[in-house]
């Protein structure tokens, strides 16, 4: 029965996080001293505080020691957190989503027994997935079979009961903080594309695993590249990294992440994070428009500003509906079976639609601020930048739309 | 009808292109990546460009300047902006004030200010209008509120005038040798009747620079607060008459739009768009997705098509408007093309970023810079107040 | 508890109507002989058939003899109907929404006793509201008090226990078919604006009530105006039209429609109708793109077409979410009280957002058809026209957005 | 640089403006409201315009035509389109074919076809490319499918050629006296090698008109099927050589874009935009909402601002491109400005409709007509295939 009522627990979590974001995070996050420099190190004290509120283990099952929150609740929480600070929301969202996937879905009982207690107990314990999926950039192979040359991952060779891994993975989200990595490697010698991939659990302190420098504001030759992600990320390097066969996640040569479905949870979480940024910029604009006087009235009372505010309102409302729907759908596959929901890839639609909407909202919000919208001591320019990053990610841009079109056409790609 | 450039115009185009390629572009991203508000600035670049005539380009020949026409000015701005938009603006920002001096100032004032401007490669100028509580109200004073608009107070004291108050977001604020400052000689009537325009040289007692703003885009270009605390000026520093309002004092509007200011931003945007188109074409011809260069993907073809199309439309409009200025033809096009350039520069630089896409967790720094530079247009050249104001110029 | 499952009844109704729209309505609605001429008379046989499926009395309470459907169910049904033919969906949607409002909400027991049986029994019995509301065009008075000179309605003068009504109301939806009118009149002599308005129930056969000619394709001086609405409409004229006081709906001088809130149901219904048109054009484009070959493949397989299809998919998905949310919200005011829903005017957002989306969807769909998108014997050009009408209505255009901005600002208008 | 019109250009402008105001505009909405595909057509209008030179405008002076330059042509199209877009197109549609004759046809063909065209005020022309299964494949033949594109078959029979097959959506189909028909002389190779261009006069046995299309926009302008059933033509009716493909046969592309076709649609769109801007301004100055004329509402100000701005950008781009044609300057601008005009005409006519708003249940018929006319650009001038094709013209 269709019902948009939130549970008292959901409302309470929303209140708690909204309060935390407004009171504790925001002042630090948008302090001019933090806004002006290019580098914005993760505010680790706030990250730990947020972890103490249970966000890190939010989605982990209650049995395993988490809060067992469903995807919708997770989205509600992450949106609030992101109104306070986007990197913290991204880091926690990544760990929370991976926590559920790794511990509750993929690990064997034995593996879980080895790692879950430390994960639950340690507020600074984060998770990272280092790998690629068939979904990543699939739009570029629109209506063609998968193109396999792009899939380069570390290789693993069997050595007794161990595997020895060599290779490098660029730009692994959460890597600078993660204590446990799920690393995709090629075990099948001579295999290509997404076939012959396996995933290993590798604790950070494993010999041969090196987390490289955190990605900085500028990089590349002559600083020709600019940091372009939320959260925190670094490359990892594996040099003769020996991992016991017991750390293999699932079956050899059948990487559970390969088809990308397990990461739908993460797409939706990131969509919720984007909503938080959009809302932060929108709320700033509404407040300012009701205070700033020009033309003999508060600027809110001018039709031109009113139109911008209304456009923001509409875009955020529509995006949130879509994100929540996609989140709920992930937990309720039966709703597709009974035809309450369509078979469209709702998580992709949510990610694309919210990214575009939030991008536009941050720009409209900045316009309300005039020159102050580009000053580095003001938060608007950062919200705008955050919005650009959401909108120009591989999984939220034109190629992602093509994945939607393929689904409409019922196209099935032969895996490479 | 004839769109071809004359010899002088071609001369300025090739000079500017050379300077942009050899000096501005190589320094562009590097200076953008320097922390701080003032720090990205570089006097050597200004001096080098000044020696080629770019600082003084608009000064009439009879006063010893190059006296380039508007078409040449538009071309130079675009060429320099293709190297670096903020650096281009740092040069052209001077042109409107040198123009103002030559059109609206007395011979005595010209002697005192135009000559040093011509002589000193590091002499740059600015104008102070905006204040913390007076932004769009200066552009379009509300009819029902005579007190709206700038509030810096100018009080007569004997033969002198004394300024008190603060200006913010003033271009060249931290580096200027001379500022045109709009002050309220009569605070009880609207700014068209109670406004007076003063020339305030650097070093005048009671005048100092406040905060230097740290911006997201146009980081090279300077922007600061001007603070007046009993700043005393001789009546000889008044432009035109007392209480004529700043537009009238500046004899500003003879072609239906601002003589120069509006065209300036449009021409600069054109250079940025040219840069973006070139970047996107180059990248799309080498980078691959799914085994094909980007240029073979319709997704990318349509983006680059749009970039090129919009850039050529903007070029056409900029050149036509520049010619209209030179021909003294009445038109509101300067304002419209400025607003138009806001929409185009933003669209084109964003498409360029889309063409480049995120490479893992990194974005091409110059693609990112162009987007940030373009954002400046939002409030300088295309906010809704400006659009409404410019619509009113139509007959 | 958040739940997007539809009830078996909702799914069944959707199937029934989808089947009816596809099999019975569509062939007639998009037959070239109907598409080509300017005039498109209401297909009354199909209207009656749809009425026999219970759509006319869909929202009427079960007690009163209707199906008692909630707003969400009504929207699901109207969307399907509109994929078949937009005018029929509009007429039925108008009657269904007014049926609930008039019979179940506003009429006294005595009034209901007089009219409800005929309404329920007669498949050709339609309803019309002739009047104006404070909401209509309120955006134009953005952040100003209501402007009263615009409110011109017929006047009523007391004569014994009767009221004698004189005046004219332009462009009354459903007037050509309606058997019962709710007519807004000014009873308070000297009153202005929305004050002093009353509403009377006036059966069609009342002496002095004349329904003028149905609005045709062209009108005005030199045919300078073009028909620009869905459904069917006509002006009504009241000449010494005598109505007993017993036909007063609610209290004298307190027109229950004045504040516009009762018509929110109608906004949402029309938003659902717009979705149906958008979907019809979208489905036509998807079918065509999977059949038409150019460039050596079905055009669906070209990225440029895929992008258009994906954009349509996203827009329709987001709009439907919003319309359903607004529909559900109308039936669940308690969800605002418990903060599951915001206090925004969701019905306005739904109307504006769906109108814009459907407008864009019909244009994108027509683009997929090339030259055939503008030929009058093909349905695409009609869908495009329908989309324009949705997008350029007073309650879906710029001024409507300003009403949203006023709500964000918490602005309360003094009624004129 | 000089944007001013010369005397001849001004002459054509004022002639066209007068004709548009006095003849086209008064008939415009009335003819649009006539049911049917053929019925909105009117020969008297064509004849009246022909007498003023608008039908034959592009015929070179040496062949007895007015020989107007491209700038004049662009101006005339825009002026006529301001009166009625479809009527303007009914005139200009002939220009490219008269141009084709004078550039690519033999003297014998000129004698046989250009002379009667000049002599008869009701002689109009068209070209048949599109077929039911060959639309964008004619514009951009897929490399991997040599059979793609038009399939009308041309078979040699002695000295004659025999045509069989069908063309659809052919402009002037129902009224033309002469058609240029693209047929496949060799069906086994791609259309660039197996295509031949034939001249088919009305009345040729085996050639007839099929269905006349009933359109939503441009209702005056004719569009029909051409049917060839053993239609026999002398080899003398071949344009250029057999099997050179139609572009090459037509010696089409010497300025980097179609010589004329692309500019034509852009110039026509400009006239429609001018019309829309004028309508919106007029309406906004009289109609009221909430006690204020529309022009005092920011909502409407911003819409009209945008309409005017985009129209002036389009004008600048159209004129520049026309000049480039006249100057023989290589550029892809003709194609780009055509695509651009698609975006602009649609945006501007929609904004005009928004300014007018719905009055109760009715919409201004002309506002509605402009939107419907503008929709034609979608497939004629701005679909994605055209954009991709035109991008490829860039060096």
């Amino acid at each position: 029965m269709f019902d948009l009522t939130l549970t008292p627990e959901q409302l309470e979590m929303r209140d708690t996080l909204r309060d935390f974001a407004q009171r504790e995070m925001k002042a630090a996050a948008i302090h001019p001293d933090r806004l002006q420099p290019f580098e914005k190190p993760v505010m680790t004290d706030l990250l730990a505080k947020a972890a103490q509120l249970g966000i890190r283990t939010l989605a982990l099952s209650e049995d395993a020691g988490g809060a067992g929150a469903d995807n919708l609740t997770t989205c509600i929480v992450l949106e609030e957190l992101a109104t306070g600070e986007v990197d913290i929301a991204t880091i926690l969202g990544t760990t929370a989503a991976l926590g559920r996937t790794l511990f509750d879905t993929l690990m064997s009982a034995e593996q879980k027994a080895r790692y879950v207690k430390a994960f639950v107990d340690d507020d600074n314990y984060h998770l990272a997935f280092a790998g690629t999926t068939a979904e990543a950039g699939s739009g570029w192979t629109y209506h063609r079979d998968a193109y396999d040359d792009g899939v380069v991952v570390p290789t693993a060779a069997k050595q007794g009961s161990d595997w020895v891994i060599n290779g490098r993975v660029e730009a692994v989200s959460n890597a600078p903080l993660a204590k446990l990595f799920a690393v995709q490697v090629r075990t099948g010698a001579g295999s290509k594309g997404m076939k012959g991939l396996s995933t290993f659990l590798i604790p950070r302190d494993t010999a041969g695993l090196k987390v490289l420098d955190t990605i900085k504001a500028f990089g590349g030759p002559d600083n020709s590249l600019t940091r372009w992600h939320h959260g925190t990320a670094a490359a990892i390097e594996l040099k003769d990294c020996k991992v016991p066969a017991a750390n293999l996640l699932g079956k050899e040569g059948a990487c559970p992440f390969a088809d990308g479905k397990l990461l739908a949870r993460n797409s939706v979480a990131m969509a919720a994070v984007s909503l938080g940024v959009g809302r932060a910029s929108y709320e700033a604009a509404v407040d300012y428009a009701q205070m700033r006087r020009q033309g003999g009235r508060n600027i809110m009372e001018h039709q031109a500003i009113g139109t911008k505010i209304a456009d923001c309102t509409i875009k955020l409302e529509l995006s949130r509906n879509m994100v929540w729907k996609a989140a709920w759908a992930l937990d309720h596959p039966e709703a597709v079976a009974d035809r309450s929901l369509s078979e469209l890839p709702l998580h992709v639609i949510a990610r694309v639609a919210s990214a575009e909407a939030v991008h536009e909202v941050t720009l409209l919000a900045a316009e309300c601020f005039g020159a102050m919208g580009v000053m580095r001591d003001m938060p608007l320019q950062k919200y705008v930048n955050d919005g650009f990053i959401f909108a120009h990610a591989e999984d939220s841009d034109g190629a992602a739309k093509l994945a939607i079109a393929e689904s409409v056409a019922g196209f099935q790609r032969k895996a490479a | 009808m004839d769109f071809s450039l004359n010899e002088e115009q071609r001369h300025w185009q090739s000079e500017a292109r050379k300077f942009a390629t050899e000096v501005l572009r190589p320094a562009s991203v590097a200076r953008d990546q320097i922390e701080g508000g003032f720090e990205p600035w570089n006097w050597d670049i200004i001096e080098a460009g000044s020696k080629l005539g770019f600082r003084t380009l608009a000064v009439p020949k009879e006063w010893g300047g190059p006296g380039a026409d508007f078409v040449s000015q538009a071309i130079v701005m675009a060429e320099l902006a293709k190297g670096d938009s903020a650096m281009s603006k740092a040069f052209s920002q001077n042109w409107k004030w040198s123009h103002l001096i030559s059109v609206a100032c007395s011979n005595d004032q010209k002697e005192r200010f135009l000559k040093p401007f011509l002589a000193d490669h590091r002499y740059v100028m600015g104008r102070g209008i905006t204040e913390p509580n007076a932004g769009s109200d200066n552009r379009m004073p509300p009819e029902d509120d005579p007190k709206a608009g700038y509030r810096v107070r100018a009080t007569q004291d004997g033969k002198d005038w004394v300024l008190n108050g603060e200006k913010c977001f003033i271009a060249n604020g931290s580096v200027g040798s001379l500022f045109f400052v709009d002050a309220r000689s009569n605070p009880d009537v609207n700014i068209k009747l109670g406004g007076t325009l003063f020339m305030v040289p650097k070093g005048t007692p009671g005048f100092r620079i406040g905060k230097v703003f740290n911006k997201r885009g146009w980081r090279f270009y300077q922007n600061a607060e001007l603070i007046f605390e009993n700043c005393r000026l001789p009546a000889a520093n008044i432009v035109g008459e007392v209480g004529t309002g700043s537009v009238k004092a500046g004899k500003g509007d003879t072609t239906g739009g601002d003589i120069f200011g509006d065209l300036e931003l449009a021409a600069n945007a054109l250079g940025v768009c040219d840069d973006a188109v070139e970047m996107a074409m180059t990248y799309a011809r080498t980078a691959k997705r799914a085994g094909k260069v980007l240029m073979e993907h319709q997704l990318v073809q349509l983006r680059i098509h749009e970039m090129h199309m919009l850039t050529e439309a903007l070029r056409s409009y900029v050149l036509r408007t520049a010619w209209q200025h030179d021909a003294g033809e009445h038109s509101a096009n300067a304002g419209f093309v400025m607003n138009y350039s806001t929409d185009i520069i933003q669209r084109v630089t964003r498409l360029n970023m889309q063409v480049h896409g995120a490479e893992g967790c990194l974005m091409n720094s110059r693609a990112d810079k162009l987007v940030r530079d373009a954002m400046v247009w939002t409030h300088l050249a295309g906010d809704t107040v400006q659009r409404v104001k410019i619509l009113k110029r139509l007959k």
Side-chain angles (χ1 to χ4, degrees), chain A, chain B:
Chain A
M1 179 85 171
F2 194 91
D3 185 348
L4 302 178
T5 313
L6 301 179
T7 62
E9 293 73 30
Q10 287 168 331
L11 290 167
E12 195 192 317
M13 286 204 103
R14 190 174 70 181
D15 287 345
T16 304
L17 271 296
R18 187 168 293 179
D19 190 64
F20 178 68
Q22 293 300 312
R23 285 189 201 225
E24 308 220 20
M25 299 177 82
K26 211 156 195 172
I30 64 176
H31 192 283
D33 290 348
R34 180 170 186 269
L35 286 174
Q36 300 209 48
F38 299 130
E39 293 297 344
K40 294 195 176 33
V42 173
M43 298 187 293
T44 44
D45 49 336
L46 277 173
L47 179 64
K49 258 197 183 172
Q52 282 156 21
L53 292 173
I55 316 303
R56 208 176 43 87
T57 52
L58 185 68
L60 189 71
S61 65
E62 291 184 63
D63 285 354
D70 59 13
N71 277 292
L72 173 59
T73 307
T74 306
C75 284
I76 293 171
V77 164
L78 290 177
E79 175 182 335
E80 294 303 329
L81 213 47
T83 64
E85 211 282 315
V86 65
D87 290 333
I88 289 176
T90 303
I91 293 165
L92 286 168
T94 304
T95 292
L98 272 175
R100 170 74 159 244
T101 305
L102 292 177
F103 293 103
D104 290 316
T105 312
L106 296 178
M107 284 192 199
S108 66
E110 181 273 328
Q111 289 170 332
K112 192 163 167 177
R114 265 195 285 151
Y115 295 115
V116 75
K117 189 168 184 308
F119 173 61
V120 171
D121 290 348
D122 178 356
D123 286 332
N124 297 316
Y125 197 119
H126 287 277
L127 303 168
F129 169 66
T132 186
T133 72
E135 243 185 22
S138 69
W140 292 107
T141 52
Y142 185 62
H143 272 276
R144 271 64 165 176
D145 288 331
Y147 178 82
D148 58 9
D149 292 6
V151 184
V152 178
V153 298
T155 55
K158 194 88 185 241
Q159 200 176 76
S161 67
D162 292 334
W163 289 84
V164 178
I165 306 176
N166 278 287
R168 183 181 161 119
V169 189
E170 300 298 328
V172 177
S173 294
N174 269 9
L177 298 166
K179 300 202 171 170
L180 182 64
F181 291 81
V183 182
Q184 205 179 43
V185 302
R186 189 173 299 284
T187 46
S191 67
K192 281 180 79 179
M194 302 309 294
K195 290 169 193 155
L197 296 185
S198 305
T199 306
F200 283 94
L201 293 165
I202 312 184
R204 188 186 191 95
D205 53 13
T206 308
L209 166 65
K210 189 175 167 196
V211 178
L212 303 184
D213 284 349
T214 301
I215 293 177
K216 291 281 194 318
F218 305 114
D222 289 332
N223 288 339
S224 62
L225 297 168
T226 298
R227 178 184 195 266
W228 199 251
H229 65 92
H230 295 119
T232 182
I236 62 169
E237 217 170 58
L238 298 134
K239 277 192 186 160
D240 296 330
C241 177
K242 195 176 286 187
V243 180
N247 278 26
L248 180 65
L249 206 52
K251 289 186 188 158
E252 191 204 322
C255 171
F257 289 99
D259 67 4
K261 283 191 188 131
L262 276 174
L263 297 176
R265 177 183 289 270
N266 201 55
S267 290
V268 172
M270 288 308 111
V273 170
S274 73
L275 287 180
V277 172
R279 228 183 74 208
S281 70
Y282 166 69
E283 288 172 357
V286 170
D287 288 348
Y288 184 71
Q290 292 190 283
M291 185 190 80
R292 170 83 172 170
R293 285 186 81 81
Q294 290 291 283
R297 334 176 143 256
N298 291 340
I299 62 172
M300 177 64 118
E301 301 188 14
H302 296 298
Q303 291 180 352
I305 297 289
T307 301
K308 287 188 212 299
I309 296 292
D311 279 332
C312 292
T313 309
I314 295 170
K315 286 174 202 297
L316 287 174
E317 187 72 15
L318 265 67
S319 302
R320 187 177 300 107
N321 297 342
M322 189 65 229
V323 172
W324 287 14
K325 180 180 187 173
W328 185 84
L330 284 181
D331 287 326
H332 298 87
E334 72 281 4
V336 174
D338 83 4
R339 304 185 303 121
S340 292
L341 295 181
S342 75
E343 291 180 22
L344 294 168
L346 298 179
H347 67 286
V348 182
I349 297 180
R351 180 83 172 90
V352 170
S354 65
E356 285 188 359
V358 167
H359 174 50
E360 290 159 11
V361 165
T362 58
L363 290 168
L364 288 167
E367 282 182 32
C368 295
F369 279 80
M372 273 175 280
V374 299
M375 296 304 160
R376 284 188 71 102
D377 56 353
M378 298 279 293
L380 270 297
Q381 51 85 22
K382 176 162 190 328
Y383 295 144
V384 165
N385 188 59
D386 289 339
F388 267 101
I389 294 175
F390 287 122
H392 293 88
E394 191 85 1
D395 64 341
S396 62
D397 204 352
K401 282 189 185 171
L402 294 178
I404 298 168
E406 285 182 347
S407 162
V408 171
F411 176 73
Q412 296 284 337
R413 171 165 294 105
K414 272 185 251 159
Chain B
M1 187 167 300
D2 184 1
F3 272 70
S4 51
L5 301 183
N6 65 30
E7 200 177 330
E8 189 177 347
Q9 291 158 349
R10 282 202 309 275
H11 160 78
W12 283 116
Q13 182 175 46
S14 87
E15 287 288 297
R17 187 171 293 174
K18 189 158 175 283
F19 182 64
T21 310
E22 294 175 2
V23 179
L24 302 191
R25 194 183 184 91
S28 175
V29 170
R31 298 222 71 83
D32 182 69
Q33 292 178 351
I34 297 172
E35 298 265 15
F38 174 74
E39 290 72 6
W41 178 259
N42 181 301
W43 277 115
D44 293 341
I45 288 173
I46 299 301
E47 189 158 338
S50 177
K51 285 176 178 161
L52 295 167
F54 299 131
R55 191 182 52 92
T56 54
L57 193 70
V59 177
K61 287 179 179 153
E62 60 267 35
W63 280 90
D69 63 8
F70 285 114
V71 169
S72 301
Q73 290 177 28
I75 290 168
V76 167
M77 286 185 277
E79 292 290 345
L80 297 184
K82 200 178 161 191
D84 187 287
S85 175
M87 294 175 187
S88 177
K89 183 68 171 81
F91 289 106
S92 67
Q93 167 70 2
N94 296 295
W95 304 352
K96 48 185 159 184
W97 314 128
S98 60
H99 183 87
L100 180 71
I101 297 176
S102 62
V103 170
C105 285
S106 65
N107 279 338
D108 159 64
Q109 289 170 333
K110 286 178 191 164
E111 287 290 336
R112 285 196 289 143
F113 298 113
L114 202 49
K115 288 207 164 157
F117 170 68
L118 283 162
D120 179 357
H121 288 305
R122 299 189 174 205
Y123 194 111
V124 300
M125 297 185 275
R127 177 165 190 166
I129 311 180
T130 304
E131 298 175 11
N133 289 311
S136 50
D137 275 355
N138 297 325
R139 295 192 190 122
M140 216 163 62
E143 285 175 16
D144 49 356
D145 184 1
K147 304 217 170 187
Y150 51 80
R151 307 298 296 155
V152 160
R153 189 72 177 89
T155 324
Q156 195 162 14
D157 183 27
K159 286 186 174 173
D160 292 342
W161 287 78
V162 178
L163 265 50
N164 275 292
E166 264 181 56
K167 297 281 177 187
C168 67
F169 303 139
I170 305 308
N172 275 350
S174 46
V175 292
S177 292
L178 178 65
F179 294 92
F180 294 85
V181 176
D182 293 273
R184 202 74 162 240
S185 46
N186 179 350
D188 299 322
V189 295
N190 73 40
I191 55 174
K192 289 180 187 171
L193 300 171
T196 299
L197 186 60
F198 291 88
M199 299 171 94
V200 186
K202 183 173 71 175
T204 306
F207 165 46
R208 66 181 171 89
I209 304 306
K211 172 179 175 180
V212 177
F213 293 96
N214 186 2
K215 305 191 305 305
R216 182 162 181 263
W218 266 11
R219 295 185 48 71
F220 180 90
Y221 190 55
Q222 293 296 295
N223 193 302
E225 284 178 344
L226 309 185
I227 298 173
F228 305 95
E229 294 154 324
N230 292 319
C231 169
R232 181 172 295 265
L233 296 164
N237 280 26
I238 290 172
V239 180
E241 303 290 315
V242 172
T244 52
S246 43
V247 172
K248 230 178 172 178
K251 297 191 178 163
D253 199 329
T254 60
T255 52
D258 284 350
I259 277 272
F260 171 79
D262 296 350
L263 176 65
E264 180 187 23
L265 291 160
N268 191 307
L270 176 60
V272 175
C273 291
D274 276 334
D275 188 11
V277 169
E278 202 172 292
M279 281 183 72
M281 298 275 285
T282 305
Y283 185 75
R285 282 169 172 158
T286 51
K288 287 185 172 188
R289 288 286 186 285
K292 293 196 289 188
V293 293
L294 286 174
M295 200 54 132
E296 287 174 35
H297 289 280
Q298 283 187 340
L299 267 187
V300 174
Q301 289 168 343
L302 291 172
R303 288 170 185 167
I304 294 184
H305 173 278
E306 186 180 347
M307 293 172 72
H308 185 89
M309 176 180 83
L310 295 177
T311 300
E312 291 309 314
L314 178 59
R315 187 186 325 283
S316 309
Y317 201 0
V318 165
L319 290 177
R320 173 168 165 236
T321 304
W323 173 82
Q324 284 185 316
H325 279 338
D326 282 325
E329 205 173 81
H330 179 88
S331 134
N333 275 330
F336 281 104
V337 74
M338 170 181 75
N339 299 155
Y340 183 68
S341 74
T342 303
D343 301 340
I344 302 308
I345 191 177
Q346 302 203 356
R347 179 78 186 149
V348 168
T349 56
R350 286 168 199 172
L351 284 166
N352 181 44
M353 183 175 272
Q354 245 181 336
V355 168
H356 280 79
E359 307 178 40
C361 285
L362 296 163
M363 168 61 72
N364 179 298
S365 286
R366 192 167 178 90
D368 173 60
K369 175 183 186 293
L370 296 194
V371 167
R372 286 185 286 102
D373 286 349
M375 276 295 291
V376 172
W377 266 254
T378 307
H379 63 275
L380 273 188
D383 64 28
T384 49
V385 173
Q386 272 162 320
R387 292 173 199 249
V388 166
K389 177 188 167 192
I390 280 155
L391 181 69
K392 291 181 195 294
R393 289 186 193 161
L394 287 184
K395 292 290 162 257

